[in-house]
C-alpha cells in the first residue's frame, strides 16, 4: 500500500500539486494503515505543523524500514526541491522490489520446510514399512539391545536434523 501511496503522491506532484497537497491526496488514494497515517500527516500540517515534522512523527510511530525510506525521500523532496516526483517513484519501485524479494524468500522457505518434513519423515516411514513387511527386521530393531540403540540414535539424529532444518528455513523467512 505504501508503494501505491507514493505513486499517487508522485502523480499529484507531476500534475502540479504542492508536496503538502500531494501527501493529502495520496492518503485519499489508498486504504488501510498507510491511508490513516497519511491523513494524520495531512491533519498535522493543517494544524500548522511543518511538513518535515509531521513526516518525522509518522516515521516515529511506524518503526518500519519502508516508512523511514519513504519519509526520508519526502523530507529530501521538501527540503531540496528539484524533481521530487522522480525520487518518490524510485522509492516506490524500491519498495515493490523489496516486497517481491521478501515474498520469494518466504516461498523458498516454505519449500525448504516441506523438504525438511519429507526428509525427516522418510526414515520413519521406511522403518514402519520394513517392520511391517519383514518381521525379522522388527524383531532385530525392537528386540535386541543394538537394535534399540540404533533406533534411538536414528530417531535422535532425525530430530536434530528436523530442528536444524526448521532453524535454517525460519532464518531465511525473516
Amino acid at each position: 500500500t505504501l508503494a501505491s501511496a507514493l505513486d499517487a503522491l508522485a502523480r499529484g506532484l507531476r500534475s502540479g500539486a504542492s508536496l503538502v497537497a500531494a501527501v493529502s491526496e495520496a492518503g485519499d488514494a489508498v486504504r488501510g494503515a498507510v491511508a490513516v497515517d497519511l491523513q494524520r500527516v495531512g491533519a498535522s500540517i493543517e494544524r500548522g505543523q511543518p511538513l518535515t515534522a509531521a513526516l518525522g512523527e509518522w516515521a516515529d510511530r511506524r518503526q518500519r524500514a519502508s516508512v523511514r525510506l519513504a519519509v526520508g525521500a519526502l523530507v529530501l523532496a521538501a527540503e531540496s526541491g528539484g524533481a521530487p516526483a522522480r525520487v518518490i517513484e524510485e522509492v516506490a519501485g524500491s519498495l515493490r522490489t523489496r516486497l517481491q524479494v521478501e515474498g520469494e524468500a518466504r516461498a523458498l522457505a516454505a519449500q525448504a520446510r516441506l523438504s525438511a518434513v519429507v526428509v525427516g519423515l522418510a526414515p520413519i516411514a521406511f522403518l514402519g514399512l520394513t517392520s511391517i513387511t519383514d518381521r525379522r527386521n522388527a524383531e532385530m530393531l525392537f528386540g535386541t539391545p543394538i537394535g534399540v540403540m540404533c533406533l534411538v540414535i536414528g530417531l535422535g539424529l532425525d530430530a536434530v536434523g528436523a530442528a536444524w532444518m526448521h532453524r535454517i528455513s525460519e532464518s531465511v523467512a525473516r
Side-chain angles (χ1 to χ4, degrees):
T1 307
L2 183 56
S4 298
L6 291 175
D7 285 337
L9 201 148
R11 277 192 307 276
L13 289 172
R14 289 198 187 280
S15 69
S18 69
L19 188 55
V20 172
V23 167
S24 295
E25 290 173 10
D28 295 335
V30 294
R31 292 199 160 103
V34 173
V36 171
D37 288 348
L38 288 175
Q39 290 165 356
R40 188 177 290 163
V41 168
S44 295
I45 294 167
E46 287 176 9
R47 287 191 304 269
Q49 188 174 26
L51 173 66
T52 56
L55 290 170
E57 286 179 2
W58 177 29
D60 291 340
R61 266 192 318 273
R62 295 273 183 212
Q63 294 289 318
R64 292 191 165 174
S66 57
V67 172
R68 286 192 301 274
L69 179 63
V71 166
L74 293 172
V75 168
L76 180 66
E79 292 179 350
S80 68
R86 186 173 147 245
V87 171
I88 293 167
E89 287 170 342
E90 292 293 326
V91 169
S94 172
L95 292 176
R96 280 193 187 87
T97 301
R98 180 184 293 174
L99 287 173
Q100 287 175 332
V101 168
E102 288 172 359
E104 190 170 332
R106 279 192 301 275
L108 292 173
Q111 288 177 348
R113 283 191 298 274
L114 181 60
S115 294
V117 167
V118 169
V119 167
L121 291 180
I124 295 169
F126 183 73
L127 169 70
L129 181 66
T130 58
S131 295
I132 290 170
T133 57
D134 189 352
R135 179 171 286 278
R136 290 176 300 165
N137 288 337
E139 289 172 0
M140 192 283 297
L141 200 56
F142 297 109
T144 65
I146 194 156
V148 171
M149 186 177 74
C150 286
L151 180 65
V152 169
I153 290 173
L155 290 174
L157 289 173
D158 203 30
V160 168
W164 188 9
M165 290 297 289
H166 176 75
R167 184 173 177 190
I168 290 171
S169 66
E170 287 300 313
S171 70
V172 171
R174 284 184 230 147

